[in-house]
Amino acid sequence: MNVATTKKVHNYSAGPCILPQEVFQQAAQAILDFEGSGLSILEMSHRSKPFEAVMAKAQGLVKELLGAPEHYQVVFLGGGASLGFHMVPLNYMKVGGKSAYVNTGEWATRAIKESKLVGDTQVLASSEDKNFSYIPKGFQVPADVDYFHFTSNNTIFGTQYKQFPKSAAPLICDMSSDIFSRPVNVSDFALIYGGAQKNMGPAGATVYLFDPERLGHTGRKLSPMLDLKNHGSKESMYNTPPVYAVYVSMLTLEWIKKMGGVQAMERRNAEKAALLYNAIDRLPLFNGTAAVEDRSVMNATFVLNDAALEPAFDALWKEAGISGIRGHRSVGGYRASMYNALPIESVQVLVDVMEHFAQKNA
Ligand SMILES: *Cc1c(COP(=O)(O)O)cnc(C)c1O
């Protein structure tokens, strides 16, 4: 079923973002009548059998799609990846211990700030000198830190790790904006976490996928709400989980599986990114802002060489039904977010607009 092409709006929003059309239909139906129960999913106990099945399925799909080891655990919490920035040092940095980070942009900067609140935090490398337009390479992760944290995809600046850094220390990654966009070797990571709203579902849930054996060694007493080990052992039901966000995430994960899993997503995403970056490079009117080798497959950032042309370009893409491609204020220009659910047809529409605009302004 190709429902995507029936969409009239080509949604490039950076997050919350496009989800599959069929997910919206199922999600809407579940609000009216969840699986024929006569109840809305919004009025059911999170302890009810049907919702427990939703949670188990969502957790199982996270592990299955990413090929996680059997003993890894999955929890869905509120608070966004931003709360994760604080939970990471609380749960992984020993009292009197150390952490290490790489600074690749706004979200990494915030993660570092939260770690500094908890303890000794080393910033091994940063790309701030060039407005975060590249991924620093060649740094060494010291073996004596309690963990090493990085941000796999920099949503705002349009850069992405093509190869993950090597680390003798436990590896922790904020994958908010490229989780489920490509295969990853989960057993390399102590923790992968991310806000759902960029590639997995709606806002309101944050996914944590972790090795429980790595938890509980800091010597720090934690509030149960901030304790990942607690949430893991309580099956993500220590308190009321964000039920609807978990449900819609589950539907999206089912869609990914049906489409062929993260391998298929990787192929689709590579095709979309190639189509757009090719236009950016081919048309002299446009310039990509990220270093070519570090370009994100998810968020393509670019500018018009002559900013005076922006109003005319804006009018053209709006007329074509394109939405959400204005760049983040810290980069300017444009950002086309091409998450899993964005069909290649939408990218073709944008490329056609760019070509048409280039011809008119040649
Ligand atoms: C959006 C984003 C965040 C912040 O997520 P919230 O869920 O809004 O807290 C963190 N990291 C990355 C990479 C992001 O793209």
Side-chain angles (χ1 to χ4, degrees):
M1 163 166 69
N2 192 0
V3 286
T5 48
T6 64
K7 246 189 126 104
K8 284 186 285 306
V9 175
H10 303 287
N11 183 8
Y12 282 93
S13 172
C17 71
I18 185 170
L19 294 175
Q21 194 61 33
E22 63 188 81
V23 166
F24 289 136
Q25 281 159 7
Q26 291 169 284
Q29 178 57 40
I31 287 186
L32 299 173
D33 180 3
F34 180 65
E35 292 179 351
S37 64
L39 292 173
S40 165
I41 185 154
L42 302 181
E43 62 182 344
M44 283 174 18
S45 165
H46 62 294
R47 298 278 179 199
S48 64
K49 278 267 166 326
F51 185 74
E52 278 184 351
V54 167
M55 176 60 89
K57 188 156 196 191
Q59 290 170 317
L61 280 166
V62 168
K63 286 175 67 174
E64 180 187 340
L65 287 169
L66 294 178
E70 194 55 44
H71 73 285
Y72 272 54
Q73 292 179 342
V74 177
V75 300
F76 296 95
L77 307 178
S82 299
L83 182 60
F85 296 158
H86 196 59
M87 287 180 66
V88 165
L90 287 181
N91 284 274
Y92 292 92
M93 199 197 297
K94 294 196 175 84
V95 173
K98 284 188 279 208
S99 67
Y101 284 70
V102 171
N103 192 359
T104 51
E106 167 80 16
W107 301 116
T109 302
R110 290 207 204 175
I112 290 165
K113 207 168 152 189
E114 297 277 351
S115 177
K116 285 182 172 167
L117 289 175
V118 177
D120 186 358
T121 303
Q122 306 180 358
V123 180
L124 305 178
S126 167
S127 50
E128 194 171 7
D129 59 336
K130 292 187 179 159
N131 199 29
F132 299 115
S133 59
Y134 68 101
I135 299 286
K137 292 164 201 89
F139 55 86
Q140 277 281 320
V141 180
D144 68 335
V145 295
D146 295 324
Y147 66 88
F148 167 65
H149 179 286
F150 72 103
T151 313
S152 56
N153 183 69
N154 298 282
T155 326
I156 293 173
F157 297 93
T159 63
Q160 185 177 30
Y161 285 84
K162 303 293 150 165
Q163 263 179 323
F164 294 139
K166 296 254 175 296
S167 167
L171 200 54
I172 294 182
C173 186
D174 171 6
M175 277 192 201
S176 291
S177 54
D178 66 354
I179 193 165
F180 301 112
S181 73
R182 56 177 170 176
V184 294
N185 191 11
V186 175
S187 58
D188 289 346
F189 295 86
L191 166 70
I192 292 170
Y193 70 105
Q197 71 275 16
K198 304 232 174 74
N199 217 15
M200 194 181 94
T206 310
V207 67
Y208 295 80
L209 169 62
F210 55 90
D211 177 355
E213 289 163 14
R214 297 265 189 201
L215 289 166
H217 307 304
T218 63
R220 180 178 292 107
K221 267 213 164 335
L222 289 179
S223 149
M225 278 302 286
L226 298 172
D227 185 349
L228 260 187
K229 201 178 171 71
N230 172 52
H231 287 292
S233 63
K234 299 286 176 357
E235 306 282 338
S236 205
M237 296 270 196
Y238 170 70
N239 72 319
T240 316
V243 289
Y244 195 60
V246 172
Y247 176 66
V248 181
S249 297
M250 184 209 81
L251 294 175
T252 310
L253 296 171
E254 281 183 325
W255 175 84
I256 294 172
K257 183 174 171 179
K258 196 179 80 185
M259 296 294 286
V262 291
Q263 285 82 5
M265 291 299 126
E266 184 179 43
R267 279 194 300 277
R268 268 166 66 96
N269 293 330
E271 232 180 290
K272 289 183 282 179
L275 182 60
L276 180 56
Y277 282 120
N278 200 293
I280 292 169
D281 292 340
R282 191 174 65 242
L283 304 170
L285 232 48
F286 297 94
N287 239 340
T289 62
V292 171
E293 62 177 9
D294 302 323
R295 280 175 168 174
S296 169
V297 167
M298 298 274 93
N299 315 94
T301 49
F302 59 99
V303 293
L304 269 169
N305 286 331
D306 180 359
L309 292 174
E310 280 189 7
F313 180 57
D314 293 352
L316 212 58
W317 56 257
K318 280 177 194 159
E319 200 184 290
I322 288 169
S323 162
I325 65 162
R326 287 302 311 203
H328 190 272
R329 61 193 175 279
S330 52
V331 182
Y334 301 91
R335 168 176 52 173
S337 297
M338 299 175 282
Y339 296 118
N340 285 345
L342 185 81
I344 194 159
E345 290 82 356
S346 288
V347 183
Q348 190 60 57
V349 169
L350 174 56
V351 167
D352 289 347
V353 165
M354 290 165 73
E355 270 167 355
H356 181 66
F357 187 70
Q359 270 164 21
K360 270 191 10 192
N361 292 280

